[in-house]
């Protein structure tokens, strides 16, 4: 089975619910779709949805890589060749572009076997609840949005924080008071706190019963985070601080202050790189949350298949397709009351939609 052609197209989709995080506001999402066709007529799909503020990769860079050197390199290759990931890493520095290629190759591999990708890897999980994200909003808007999500069956709310600890905690406390133990609360500061603000946040945690605090400070502040109490460090999630296996290995060598690692295909370079990172997390006793950027159903499905193949998986934060005004793919997963399941279809189980 040899690759005959690789085609790309850029997509821009408005968000039905624009949102803000620490330092950024998002009204629409851009990504690049990759279609890789084999000589026998089988097609595998991949997606690049980069986060420039995290990896420095823009949508334009992803597109240029996928339309240039990666497309030329792919043609004539056998998609089942296990050495392709190593070759690609050496030639392309952009992880979202690599993720699109690896996603398409994994989709093709599983379709050739006639199985869902998770079954090719070895399934470890069947169904887990995902969190759904509440952006930085006023208290009344936060509660109204939470009411909608809870009414739809979501039980895990991730609240974007990182502006002012007092205001952040007021929103979290209002949610806890409103729903009690019916919900799980997560906070994501997106690097928003300095040292003084982080200490204030720690002092205000009592009674919130937070499940986690994601990336409270910028990468490089790990030495300060190591000074926090052990019960706080167990709640901390590394997102921007850990992109891939090599990055986690460096952090472990210095002393890792995080109890959880957020793995995203767009940070690490695709499904197989993500599984390698998850294996290191498991070996080191770190829990894994699987996250995403704003992505199509393809990107979410690919992350879900990989998540359910990892023994380190404990949490899902795979809500990135829920607010797309239109999605270039259908299928991929089933969502019921906030619980995600893969489909019993070959590959990642998605089919393209004409927008």
């Amino acid at each position: 089975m040899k690759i005959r052609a690789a085609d790309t197209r850029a997509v821009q989709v408005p968000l039905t619910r624009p949102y803000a995080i620490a330092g950024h506001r998002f009204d629409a999402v851009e990504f690049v779709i990759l279609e890789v066709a084999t000589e026998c007529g089988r097609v595998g799909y991949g997606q690049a949805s980069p986060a420039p503020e995290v990896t420095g990769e823009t949508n334009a860079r992803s597109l240029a890589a996928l339309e240039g050197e990666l497309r030329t390199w792919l043609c004539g290759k056998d998609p089942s060749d296990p050495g392709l990931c190593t070759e690609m890493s050496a030639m392309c520095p952009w992880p979202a572009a690599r993720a699109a290629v690896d996603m398409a190759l994994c989709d093709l591999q599983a379709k050739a076997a006639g199985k869902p990708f998770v079954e090719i890897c070895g399934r470890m999980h069947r169904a887990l609840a995902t969190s759904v994200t509440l952006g930085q909003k006023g208290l009344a808007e936060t509660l109204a949005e939470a009411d909608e999500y809870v009414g739809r069956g979501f039980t895990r709310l991730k609240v974007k924080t990182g502006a002012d600890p007092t205001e952040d905690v007021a929103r979290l406390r209002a949610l806890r008071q409103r729903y009690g133990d019916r919900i799980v609360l997560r906070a994501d500061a997106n690097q928003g706190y300095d040292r003084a603000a982080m200490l204030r946040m720690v002092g205000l945690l009592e009674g919130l019963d937070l499940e986690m605090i994601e990336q409270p400070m910028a990468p490089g502040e790990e030495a300060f985070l190591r000074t926090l109490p052990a019960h706080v460090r167990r709640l901390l999630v590394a997102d921007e601080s850990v992109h891939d296996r090599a990055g986690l290995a460096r952090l472990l060598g210095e002393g890792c202050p995080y109890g959880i690692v957020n793995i995203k295909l767009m940070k690490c370079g695709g499904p197989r790189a993500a599984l390698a990172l998850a294996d290191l997390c498991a070996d080191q006793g770190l829990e894994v949350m699987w996250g995403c950027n704003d992505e199509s159903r393809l990107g979410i499905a690919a992350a879900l298949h990989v998540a359910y193949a990892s023994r380190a998986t404990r949490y899902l934060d795979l809500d990135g397709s829920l607010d797309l005004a239109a999605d270039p793919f259908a299928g991929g997963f089933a969502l019921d009351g906030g619980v995600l399941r893969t489909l019993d279809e070959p590959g990642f189980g998605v089919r393209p939609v004409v927008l």
Side-chain angles (χ1 to χ4, degrees):
M1 180 171 65
K2 296 295 179 67
I3 293 171
R4 175 181 56 81
D7 296 311
T8 58
R9 58 190 173 101
V11 177
Q12 183 176 52
V13 179
L15 294 173
T16 60
R17 198 191 305 265
Y19 66 94
I21 64 175
H24 301 277
R25 178 177 172 81
F26 300 90
D27 300 290
V29 57
E30 292 183 326
F31 41 75
V32 180
I33 302 300
L34 173 69
E35 297 182 6
V36 176
T38 64
E39 293 172 341
C40 64
R42 194 172 285 119
V43 178
Y45 298 100
Q47 173 197 286
S49 180
E53 69 277 8
V54 178
T55 64
E57 180 179 3
T58 63
N59 205 59
R61 283 172 171 164
S62 298
L63 182 61
L66 290 168
E67 287 186 334
E69 57 184 343
L70 287 177
R71 179 164 59 184
T72 302
W73 169 78
L74 271 172
C75 291
K77 295 288 194 300
D78 180 346
S80 64
D81 182 349
L84 293 185
C85 284
T86 301
E87 287 184 39
M88 182 169 55
S89 295
M91 66 184 294
C92 178
W94 305 118
R98 297 199 309 269
V101 173
D102 192 44
M103 205 181 292
L105 296 178
C106 291
D107 194 32
L108 282 171
Q109 178 187 7
K111 285 176 176 175
K115 297 179 180 180
F117 180 71
V118 65
E119 308 296 351
I120 296 290
C121 298
R123 182 185 289 276
M124 303 293 292
H125 310 274
R126 290 278 171 189
L128 292 170
T130 182
S131 54
V132 66
T133 303
L134 306 179
Q136 287 188 342
K137 295 179 170 69
L139 181 56
E141 291 178 283
T142 296
L143 292 174
E145 190 172 334
D147 284 344
E148 177 192 334
Y149 283 128
V150 173
R152 289 163 57 184
F154 288 94
T155 58
R156 284 152 175 78
L157 303 180
K158 188 172 91 165
V159 182
K160 291 294 187 179
T161 62
D164 176 84
T166 302
E167 294 178 5
D168 293 341
V169 169
R171 293 165 63 224
L172 292 164
R173 184 160 287 126
L175 290 166
R176 178 58 70 207
Q177 290 171 349
R178 195 179 194 92
Y179 302 110
D181 60 6
R182 289 189 292 145
I183 63 166
V184 172
L185 269 180
R186 302 172 179 174
D188 182 3
N190 287 110
Q191 315 177 58
Y193 297 139
D194 59 19
R195 295 185 180 190
M198 186 62 199
L199 290 175
R200 284 175 60 205
M201 183 69 177
V202 170
L204 295 168
L205 288 177
E206 186 176 354
L208 291 178
D209 191 23
L210 291 184
E211 184 178 45
M212 60 183 67
I213 305 172
E214 189 174 347
Q215 196 68 46
M217 304 180 70
E221 289 286 0
E222 282 75 24
F224 173 77
L225 293 177
R226 286 194 291 270
T227 68
L228 299 178
H231 72 278
V232 174
R233 296 199 306 273
R234 283 194 296 272
L235 303 179
L236 301 184
V237 184
D239 182 2
E240 289 89 344
S241 286
V242 173
H243 293 190
D244 51 25
R245 184 183 173 99
L248 178 58
R250 288 192 296 271
L251 184 59
L252 288 167
E254 299 166 358
C256 181
Y258 304 100
I260 306 166
V261 174
N262 184 340
I263 299 180
K264 297 176 181 176
L265 304 191
M266 298 300 140
K267 286 192 303 181
C268 67
R272 284 177 278 204
L275 283 171
L277 174 54
D279 283 345
L280 179 58
C281 290
D283 292 343
Q284 296 296 320
L286 296 170
E287 297 179 329
V288 167
M289 177 170 74
W290 294 87
C292 59
N293 299 333
D294 291 313
E295 303 184 31
S296 72
R297 293 181 74 92
L298 167 61
I300 301 303
L304 187 65
H305 277 254
V306 179
Y308 284 177
S310 171
R311 68 189 193 276
T313 299
R314 295 294 179 273
Y315 316 99
L316 299 181
D317 182 37
L318 296 177
D319 62 342
S321 68
L322 299 183
D323 292 333
L324 298 185
D327 197 311
F329 291 94
F333 58 85
L335 175 65
D336 182 16
V339 175
L340 285 168
R341 293 177 174 84
T342 58
L343 302 181
D344 188 20
E345 297 180 10
F348 294 125
V350 301
R351 57 188 183 278
V353 174
V354 177
L355 297 181

